[in-house]
Amino acid sequence: MKEATLFDRRRDPSGRLLLLDSYGLVYRAFFALPALTTTKGVAINAVLGFTMMLRKLIAEEHPTHLIACFDKGLPHERVELFKEYKAQRQETPDDLRSQFPLVRRILEAYDIPVAEYEGKEADDVIATIARQAGEDGFDTLVVTGDMDLLQIVDERTTVLVTRRGISDLGRYDVAAVQERYGLEPAQLVDYRGLKGDPSDNLPGVPGVGEKTAIKMIQAAHTLDNLVAHPELAGSEKLANLIRAHALQALLCRDVSRVDREVPIARTWEQARYTAPSDERLYPIFSELEFKALLAKLQLPERREAAPQAATVQGTYRSYLAAVDPPDLARLAALVDELCAAETVAVYLDGAGEQLGLCGRAGEGLSLSLAAALADPVRAPFARLWTAAQPKLMHDAKPLLRRLIAAGIEPTGLRDDTMVAAHLLNPSRAYGELDDAVREHLDVGLPWEPAARADAVLRLAAAVRGALAEREQMRLYEEVEVPLVPILARMEETGIALDAAALREMSGGITERAAQVEREIYDLAGHEFNLASPQQLGKVLFEDLALPGGKRTKTGWGTGAEILQSLARDFPICALVLEWRELTKLSSTYVDVLPTLTDERGRLHTQWRQTATATGRLSSINPNLQNIPVRTELGRRVRRAFVASGPGRVLLAADYSQIELRLMAHLSGDESMRAAFHEGQDIHDFTARRIFDVPTGTTVAPEQRRMAKAVNFGLLYGMSDFGLAQRLEIDRAAAHEISRSYFARFPSVHAFLDGIVKQGRERGYVSTILGRRRYLPDLRAKNFAVRGAAEREAVNAPVQGSAADLVKLAMVRVERALRAEGLDAAMLLQIHDELLFDVAQHGLDRTIAVVRREMTGALELSVPLEVSMKVGPTWYDVEMVEETAAAEEVS
């Protein structure tokens, strides 16, 4: 449960907490009611009985707060103490096991929070929350089918125990426990150590029953005292039994004692109970066909059942509730059987807790990821990931990362249907499986993880067929799918961060920001809120009457493009831009990044593979692709990104002018190709052509700057107006530069026109590897809308091809590094740059391998060049030259 405000008894003196031993109540309901199913064959007797008990308890006990507690996973501490703990239990019937998830849906409808803790039984969770509740002023009612919980009864905690059916409850406060057993509640755990408990496979002391155990504890007060003084047993025969079985009795006592210190947060406000509306209950009651309960709902109007949409259906077995050794042993055997399946589809829910496995259409298993990673399921689950059969997943990266973190090496990923669906429709991310299934299979999805894994199996066939029709299988199979486990490994590895370096930088930024702020106020003549665009606009364009102001709906425009045009002539604008940079660096990077590191001081970003229509990767939480590089102060942030330890360095491998090289290749322009083959500075070369600079004459810096703006502007479909703004010249001059450029590079002009024409005819443009960008607005009647689509059409093939190339290079580099056993980890991808953490002793070889794989990723009509920089930090990397190792690898 999430943190929340503590319950304040002074505001609500009648606090009454109801704790449900959920598994025990579901078991009771299953065996108390006859077998019941819906018209679709779904077993519902246990969930119906549980719901009826829940409603009765709420109506009779009037709780102010309510929490449902669950067992979660095998209770490892108890099993380690006593290997045979609960080992005698029978495997849970399928019809019962399948209803536990339905019970959780009922709890969700009632907005009742669930409390559970991995490796702990519900008894431990209940005992802990009851203790916390007593300390915070609650009266607590515990509802259970297990007499073991009577040990927690005290002046604030009462236990209600199911007796017959689903409505008969025995109420135990301290007096009732004393009357029933002649013992204090705290003595019951010692009593159980002597008597044992067949239901938990605890033997106790042979020959000692309930009455004898009670008498011995009454005489000795505690089991420890009885073991120390066996004569207190009451007879020599009993004394000898105690001497012979003392250790066994103590062990059974220790196994029986609940843990009252489970680290569960106090979340009383979240647990505050409010009765749900009948409207909220109607859908689940209707789905489960609770006819008697439906009749009790008061609805605004009688409604006819909505037609049921087709859903994925099959025979699914749920082990989400498996906590007993027999169930987990059976689950392990079923997972082991999947290792021989032809293919296996795997689904992990968004919370990262529930797994679905499917080896054949219409069948599947549901289980928790925690169970899959713990004994006895772990061994077959790990074998599954080294088995030869293909794995099919939707959004595979989160699970692959969890496996890597758990020491399981995942192999065999053949399909990621999220990635495939995005390739087919780049305008959507398909983070939710439901979206892709609806679009490609035209069916809905039930909640069961097993059914969702089954849907992945079916969806994979559909999207592969569509990709084949569009000739995108190479892009999918050679680039996108192999990239998924690489990104998972990059996320899990993270990058080392020097927090001390950022703290030192923070102090300097804070001091400089305060100084800049004072200087701005001096120039303005008074103080104002610098972070307010409205107040800043008034100061600049009304109080100081600066030229070039532009009115917007909310006031004066104060964007960077306006302030930059004024900064050279008006110092206050330059200072505002500097203040903005300082405060953004501080709030976005310098002060924030150290708070996001793990216990090893490493920062873990998340890579998104389906977030952009162009195919570029994006980075979030935090965004490490956006570390500033344009100013020296911004670049200094990179000094905090360091190699992971002694004897290691960072290696930055950066493609040189990749998009311009792709333009030369795609357009077929011979002069551009020749410039790259000759190793010329492409911006210098362009300036010479468009400004007619004679051979032997040096290109002026301003001419080179303009040529560079034109080169890169072309990649984004920049208009004459945009070029004029970028170069700060009039539109006529910009038009003349564009005209001169296209006159010198006619093939480029023809290529760009051809791209737009092709996109208008086909409805899409494509990259060198077949990635498509659909642009229906190329046919729009509105000039502005059509113009924006044309600019996207010009940009997509080049930028998308660059994204394809870098991704392909990542796959080739990772494969080569592993094949050669080099100690190097890929950390980041910053568009055209890859960053690695490398062992110094293998650096030369690593550089050579990375260069070879990156320059050979695609065969173009122009050479690919990669600059290699090495250093102890990302800021301090310096250019390295080719070595003998490079020649050897080449």
Side-chain angles (χ1 to χ4, degrees), residues 80 97 141 197 311 710 731:
E80 286 176 7
R97 193 187 306 108
L141 287 174
D197 186 345
T311 60
V710 174
R731 193 168 180 177

Side-chain angles (χ1 to χ4, degrees), residues 343 390-392 412-416 457 460-461 464 476-477 481:
T343 58
K391 314 300 186 303
L392 323 177
L413 179 67
R414 190 196 74 183
D415 284 300
D416 188 322
L457 185 72
R464 286 181 73 85
Y476 179 62
E477 292 185 330
V481 173

Side-chain angles (χ1 to χ4, degrees), residues 838-849 883-886 889:
V838 183
Q840 185 80 48
H841 62 77
L843 178 60
D844 288 348
R845 185 74 176 174
T846 300
I847 289 173
V849 169
T883 65
V889 169

Side-chain angles (χ1 to χ4, degrees), residues 73-76 79 118 325 328-329 332 370-380:
L74 195 67
H76 295 290
V79 173
E118 185 62 40
L328 292 170
L373 296 177
D375 292 335
V377 185
R378 180 186 172 92

Side-chain angles (χ1 to χ4, degrees), residues 707-720:
K708 184 175 181 180
V710 174
N711 275 331
F712 286 115
L714 285 172
L715 303 176
Y716 298 94
M718 186 180 290
S719 64
D720 291 344

Side-chain angles (χ1 to χ4, degrees), residues 792-810:
E792 290 178 347
V794 168
N795 169 245
V798 178
Q799 189 180 101
S801 292
D804 292 349
L805 171 59
V806 176
K807 286 179 173 179
L808 181 58
M810 293 173 71

